[in-house]
Amino acid sequence: KAGVTQTPRYLIKTRGQQVTLSCSPISGHRSVSWYQQTPGQGLQFLFEYFSETQRNKGNFPGRFSGRQFSNSRSEMNVSTLELGDSALYLCASSLDYRDYEQFFGPGTRLTVL
Amino acid sequence: AQSVTQPDIHITVSEGASLELRCNYSYGATPYLFWYVQSPGQGLQLLLKYFSGDTLVQGIKGFEAEFKRSQSSFNLRKPSVHWSDAAEYFCAVAPTGTASKLTFGTGTRLQVTL
């Protein structure tokens, strides 16, 4: 069974631009969570989607948004990029929102110049 | 607020030596506990998890962890470290009733000397 896939793996943007990251969960998994990892703040929860609905949201500004499609694939969008948004963005999938066991993808490394 | 503390930022051990990585949590009830490993440039891989029951749990790659309620700890151990174990290790807790699915510790970077 294929694991969680994230595209692209690397991305370079400039301040003020927007970016969209994609995540395909493990087949059969319907819950997708997003995390931001930075050296300063560590791993922080962004949001979780299940059945195309956002179920939980972390403490991030409204510039960070996401969505989930009917096939459980998810995208996250960051608008008006700031230098501090440079991070590794990790996607994790689980069977459903009641399942605390998450499987992580390799991440998308975003660099904002 | 719930939190996870990994007091050791960096640990160096010799190959073949034993390893113990510390993790303490702060939470009113017994949470779900996890250990993940992250190799450079990679995502996180689940090593083991504790939900309930036997307090000594076995994981992959020869790792084990022991849940001690009285100490609010969930330390990770391995009897004999291999050079390929060099990575960053994260303890995580999944508390109920909050918006955050997983709360992670700050991580412990393990270096293995030959």
Side-chain angles (χ1 to χ4, degrees), chain B residues 3 13 16 22-23 31 37 45 73 78 85 88 90 97 102 112:
Chain B
S3 65
V13 299
R22 295 183 291 166
C23 172
V37 60
Q45 182 182 22
S73 69
K78 187 170 185 178
D85 293 325
E88 189 147 22
F90 293 92
L102 286 175
V112 180

Side-chain angles (χ1 to χ4, degrees), chain B residues 1-112:
Chain B
Q2 297 84 1
S3 65
V4 178
T5 302
Q6 292 181 250
D8 303 306
I9 296 173
H10 184 248
I11 283 182
T12 300
V13 299
S14 300
E15 188 175 42
S18 63
L19 171 70
E20 182 169 26
L21 301 182
R22 295 183 291 166
C23 172
N24 293 94
Y25 66 90
S26 173
Y27 185 59
T30 300
Y32 299 149
L33 295 159
F34 306 81
W35 275 100
Y36 284 88
V37 60
Q38 185 178 36
S39 297
Q42 301 299 313
L44 280 74
Q45 182 182 22
L46 179 65
L47 285 175
L48 47 78
K49 60 187 183 291
Y50 174 78
F51 288 169
S52 65
D54 192 347
T55 57
L56 184 63
V57 293
Q58 303 296 321
I60 62 172
K61 303 185 178 186
F63 286 92
E64 66 177 27
E66 185 172 12
F67 169 63
K68 292 185 177 180
R69 185 191 307 274
S70 61
Q71 298 177 19
S72 297
S73 69
F74 188 57
N75 294 349
L76 182 71
R77 301 194 295 247
K78 187 170 185 178
S80 178
V81 170
H82 188 262
W83 64 266
S84 61
D85 293 325
E88 189 147 22
Y89 292 80
F90 293 92
C91 181
V93 60
T96 57
T98 72
S100 177
K101 204 67 179 301
L102 286 175
T103 299
F104 287 89
T106 50
T108 297
R109 182 165 298 280
L110 173 65
Q111 183 177 357
V112 180

Side-chain angles (χ1 to χ4, degrees), chain A residues 15 51 67 81 86:
Chain A
R15 281 180 297 175
S51 290
R67 60 177 175 169
L81 283 166
S86 294

Side-chain angles (χ1 to χ4, degrees), chain A residues 10-65:
Chain A
Y10 302 91
L11 207 49
I12 299 176
K13 292 287 187 178
T14 56
R15 281 180 297 175
Q17 288 187 307
Q18 74 165 16
V19 67
T20 299
L21 312 181
S22 180
C23 170
S24 293
I26 292 171
S27 178
H29 285 195
R30 297 193 296 156
S31 176
V32 173
S33 297
W34 289 89
Y35 295 84
Q36 181 196 64
Q37 185 178 25
T38 60
Q41 299 298 316
L43 279 152
Q44 293 184 287
F45 171 77
L46 279 158
F47 29 62
E48 179 200 7
Y49 286 87
F50 176 78
S51 290
E52 303 177 64
T53 301
Q54 186 181 90
R55 284 192 49 84
N56 291 301
K57 189 177 191 308
N59 189 26
F60 278 83
R63 299 185 297 107
F64 292 82
S65 63

